[in-house]
Amino acid sequence: GVWWGVLAVALLYRLGRKLRFGPWAAATAAGLLALSPYAIWHAQDARMYSMSLTLTTAAVLLALVALERQSRLSVLAYVLTALLALHTHYYAAYVILALNLFVLLEAVFAPSLRPRVLPWLLWQVFLLALYLPWLLRAGAILTGYSGNGDSPGLVDALQRSLAVFAAGESIPPEQRVWWALAAAALLLLGALRLALGSSEERRALLLLGLCLGVPLLATWLGAQARPIFNERYLVAALPPFYLLIAA
C-alpha cells in the first residue's frame, strides 16, 4: 500500500503539469495528497484502495498523453493501465466514464477536436473487449452483492465525501459538516480560478470536474438500490479534489 501511495503522489504532480498547472500548483496538489489522512489511511491498509488511486490517476494521465500523441505506444499504455485499474476495483469504471464524457464534451465545444473522437471510441471498444471476459465471469458477484454500507441522501453523501477527503475517515461525525463546507469553499474557489483563466485552464476544469463529480454521483446512485455507499470506494476521486484545491 505504501509503495502505491508514494507513486500516486508523483503521478499527481505529473498530471498537474500535463494539465498546464504551474510547478507550485502541481507540487501543492502532490503535497496535499502526500499529507492526506484519507490517502495515508489506505496506504497503510493491505487492500486494493491505494492501488486503485494510483492506477486511475495513471490512466487519466496516459489518456491525455494518448489523445495528444495518437501513437500506438501511448494508446497501448492507456488501455493496459485502464484495464489494470478496472481489475483492481470495479469503480474505476467511473473514471473511464468521466474520461469519455470529457472527450465527447470537448468535441462538442471544439469542432477541431472532433476527428479524434472515433479513434478514442475505438480504444474504448478495445478496452471493453479485454475486460469483458472477467466482467462476464464476475457478473453474478456484481449483481448479487448485498453491500456493507448504507444508502444516504445526496446531500449527506456529498458532505461525508468532502469531509473524509479533507480530514480523513476518523474525524468525529459532528465535525463533518464543517470540514465539508471548508472543502466545498476551496473547491469553488479553485473552479472559479480555472473558469476565469485561459482555455487550457478551462479544459483542466472540465476534466477535473468530471473526474471528481462522476465517481461521487455514480457511487451515490449505485447505493440507492442497495446499501453499498462507503467512503473508501471514492478513492479514485481524490486526485481531482486536490488539483482543484491547488488551483
Side-chain angles (χ1 to χ4, degrees):
V2 174
W3 187 88
W4 289 104
V6 172
L7 180 57
V9 173
L11 287 170
L12 185 58
Y13 177 83
R14 291 303 309 157
L15 178 58
R17 297 294 286 141
K18 192 66 182 174
L19 291 172
R20 304 296 190 268
F21 278 42
W24 283 107
T28 297
L32 288 171
L33 179 60
L35 298 173
S36 165
Y38 178 84
I40 292 171
W41 176 292
H42 291 295
Q44 294 174 332
D45 192 5
R47 301 186 73 180
M48 86 298 289
Y49 298 108
S50 190
M51 187 186 300
S52 178
L53 164 67
T54 303
L55 289 172
T56 49
T57 305
V60 174
L61 174 60
L62 291 170
L64 294 175
V65 173
L67 286 167
E68 179 184 290
R69 298 181 182 177
Q70 299 282 316
S71 68
R72 291 180 181 178
L73 183 59
S74 62
V75 171
L76 185 62
Y78 159 69
V79 169
L80 291 180
T81 303
L83 182 64
L84 287 173
L86 289 168
H87 277 293
T88 300
H89 197 279
Y90 296 114
Y91 284 13
Y94 299 149
V95 176
I96 308 302
L97 174 59
L99 284 171
N100 278 272
L101 290 173
F102 169 71
V103 172
L104 294 175
L105 287 172
E106 267 207 316
V108 169
F109 295 110
S112 62
L113 299 177
R114 290 175 187 173
R116 72 182 189 180
V117 173
L118 181 57
W120 169 266
L121 293 177
L122 291 174
W123 306 345
Q124 307 317 299
V125 171
F126 181 38
L127 174 60
L128 179 60
L130 292 174
Y131 189 54
L132 191 58
W134 172 252
L135 201 57
L136 293 174
R137 183 172 180 83
I141 297 175
L142 287 170
T143 56
Y145 181 60
S146 59
N148 62 351
D150 60 346
S151 301
L154 179 58
V155 173
D156 185 38
L158 291 175
Q159 175 187 307
R160 286 165 53 182
S161 303
L162 294 179
V164 299
F165 283 177
E169 297 185 59
S170 60
I171 57 172
E174 62 272 14
Q175 293 184 14
R176 285 177 180 168
V177 63
W178 302 111
W179 283 109
L181 287 172
L186 289 172
L187 285 174
L188 288 174
L189 286 173
L192 182 62
R193 163 70 183 82
L194 293 175
L196 296 176
S198 65
S199 60
E200 290 181 340
E201 289 172 321
R202 289 191 293 273
R203 179 177 186 255
L205 175 59
L206 175 62
L207 176 62
L208 296 175
L210 289 169
C211 286
L212 176 62
V214 170
L216 292 181
L217 291 175
T219 303
W220 170 74
L221 281 172
Q224 297 313 293
R226 47 186 172 168
I228 57 174
F229 185 88
N230 195 303
E231 289 86 343
R232 65 174 178 263
Y233 297 157
L234 303 170
V235 68
L238 194 60
F241 174 82
Y242 284 133
L243 281 168
L244 282 169
I245 287 179

